[in-house]
Amino acid sequence: MLHLRLIVPPDRTDEVVRTVEKTVGATHLAVMPGAARNPSGDLVLCDVAREAGDELIGRLRDLGLDRDGSIAVDNIELSLSHRADKAEDDAPGEGADAVLWEHLTDATHEESTLSVTYLAFLTLATMIAACGVVLDNAILIVGAMAVGPEFGPLAGFSTAVVQRLPRLAWRSLVALIAGFAVAMLVTVAFSYFMNGIGLFEGSMLAAERPNTNFIYRPDAFSFVVAVLAGIAGTLSLTSAKSGALVGVAISVTTVPAAANAAVAFSYGEYQQAWGSSEQLLLNLLGIILAGTLTLFVQKWLWNNQRRRAAARRSAH
């Protein structure tokens, strides 16, 4: 279930209340006239089944609440209510399959912003991975994968394509390109520094490195894993199962590939640098392709599910 907290201009309260009451899957409606102060208006509270949430939010936006009032949405972890159970049963489809497009767009917009924090995490992850590839340490590689924030702009670009949001697509591309460029440049400098104090050596990079040499040797499996991780990551975002993102993060070698390319370039190992760059591009392409197709399929399946449910209701 979702909890909606609405600030409504007084002249639209009746229309908002009717909209909530007409929504199959909405319940626990409460109206507090004049309770809101900034912006001023009436406070309207309600709960709605997740599978009906996107439709209701869309109707509320059509009434201009996002412009003249406020729409706040929270996930309800526990609701002990017979009415809530009935609302979920009445709502079309399954809550686990529902996609809150407004929430997804807002979340990916925030995560795909080129910020100092984003650059810091990506740069730190790349430097950790640099230590991992030089030492041939798989634990450091996994740690770097988990720290890297690059899935945010990847998901943002896929969402932008499906939702036809060119600004979000551009923002996501800028975050990806500029983020990896800055992280790799800093990692080159970090590699020179570590070499200067004797912690990195060219012989360490040129060694066989059985635990990490896959990073600069892309093959068909690289693309397959990237596609599977892209699907899993997109499903974890749309179903609010964010814990799965950790598994996605350690499944794809984007950050380690960028790190290996930077370190290899600093030592003049251009063949390794090129192989790592291929690995990086292959993984980015696989994730974006899989994420976009997954969202398209989810949208199509959900629309079909809602149409069938509406047809059943009209038949009764």
Side-chain angles (χ1 to χ4, degrees), residues 249-275:
I250 63 175
S251 299
V252 191
T253 54
T254 49
V255 166
N260 198 85
V263 176
F265 182 83
S266 70
Y267 281 107
E269 294 280 351
Y270 299 120
Q271 186 174 357
Q272 269 199 45
W274 175 248

Side-chain angles (χ1 to χ4, degrees), residues 144-192:
M145 291 178 180
V147 171
E150 74 279 9
F151 189 77
L154 289 169
F157 185 82
S158 296
T159 302
V161 172
V162 175
Q163 293 292 84
R164 300 178 183 178
L165 301 171
R167 287 188 178 181
L168 178 58
W170 175 249
R171 179 189 295 264
S172 301
L173 279 178
V174 168
L176 275 176
I177 296 172
F180 273 110
V182 170
M184 292 173 73
L185 284 173
V186 173
T187 303
V188 169
F190 175 71
S191 178
Y192 284 132

Side-chain angles (χ1 to χ4, degrees), residues 281-295:
L281 293 174
L282 198 62
N283 279 276
L284 294 177
L285 177 63
I287 294 173
I288 288 175
L289 179 63
T292 303
L293 291 177
T294 300
L295 289 176

Side-chain angles (χ1 to χ4, degrees), residues 24-26 49-52 86-94 302 309 313:
V24 178
R50 180 180 173 85
E51 51 268 43
K86 187 176 185 305
E88 289 186 317
D89 291 338
D90 292 341
E94 294 293 332
W302 180 245
R313 287 200 306 270

Side-chain angles (χ1 to χ4, degrees), residues 14-314:
D14 290 342
E15 192 172 6
V16 167
V17 169
R18 284 195 297 269
T19 299
V20 174
E21 289 176 337
K22 290 179 181 177
T23 301
V24 178
T27 186
H28 301 158
L29 176 62
V31 181
M32 288 172 266
R37 291 293 180 267
N38 184 21
S40 60
D42 301 333
L43 183 63
V44 178
L45 307 174
C46 70
D47 296 339
V48 62
R50 180 180 173 85
E51 51 268 43
D54 194 63
E55 179 181 1
L56 177 56
I57 293 171
R59 290 176 179 175
L60 294 173
R61 292 196 67 181
D62 290 341
L63 295 175
L65 287 196
D66 58 326
R67 182 184 64 253
D68 303 323
S70 171
I71 303 172
V73 183
D74 293 318
N75 280 305
I76 299 176
E77 299 297 334
L78 176 65
S79 180
L80 303 178
S81 167
H82 176 71
R83 286 183 177 273
D85 295 339
K86 187 176 185 305
E88 289 186 317
D89 291 338
D90 292 341
E94 294 293 332
D97 297 332
V99 179
L100 295 177
W101 292 103
E102 296 292 344
H103 176 269
L104 180 62
T105 302
D106 184 70
T108 52
H109 182 279
E110 181 180 348
E111 293 177 4
S112 60
T113 300
L114 185 61
S115 63
V116 174
T117 301
Y118 169 81
L119 287 175
F121 271 112
L122 188 56
T123 301
L124 289 170
T126 308
M127 290 193 292
I128 293 172
C131 296
V133 297
V134 170
L135 298 174
D136 194 32
N137 189 315
I139 295 177
L140 291 176
I141 295 296
V142 172
M145 291 178 180
V147 171
E150 74 279 9
F151 189 77
L154 289 169
F157 185 82
S158 296
T159 302
V161 172
V162 175
Q163 293 292 84
R164 300 178 183 178
L165 301 171
R167 287 188 178 181
L168 178 58
W170 175 249
R171 179 189 295 264
S172 301
L173 279 178
V174 168
L176 275 176
I177 296 172
F180 273 110
V182 170
M184 292 173 73
L185 284 173
V186 173
T187 303
V188 169
F190 175 71
S191 178
Y192 284 132
F193 170 76
M194 294 293 280
N195 182 77
I197 62 176
L199 294 179
F200 280 9
E201 295 179 3
S203 59
M204 300 168 72
L205 189 71
E208 181 59 26
R209 292 189 289 149
N211 293 321
T212 58
N213 60 23
F214 67 94
I215 293 171
Y216 58 89
R217 295 175 179 174
D219 54 22
F221 280 105
S222 302
F223 187 74
V224 170
V225 171
V227 168
L228 295 176
I231 295 172
T234 303
L235 289 175
S236 72
L237 285 178
T238 57
S239 64
K241 296 184 181 298
S242 57
L245 284 176
V246 175
V248 174
I250 63 175
S251 299
V252 191
T253 54
T254 49
V255 166
N260 198 85
V263 176
F265 182 83
S266 70
Y267 281 107
E269 294 280 351
Y270 299 120
Q271 186 174 357
Q272 269 199 45
W274 175 248
S276 300
S277 299
E278 284 185 331
Q279 181 79 272
L280 174 62
L281 293 174
L282 198 62
N283 279 276
L284 294 177
L285 177 63
I287 294 173
I288 288 175
L289 179 63
T292 303
L293 291 177
T294 300
L295 289 176
F296 270 124
V297 171
Q298 283 185 289
K299 195 170 188 178
W300 179 78
L301 289 174
W302 180 245
N303 287 337
N304 281 349
Q305 198 174 79
R306 288 175 60 181
R307 280 196 293 268
R308 288 197 299 268
R312 285 196 299 269
R313 287 200 306 270
S314 61

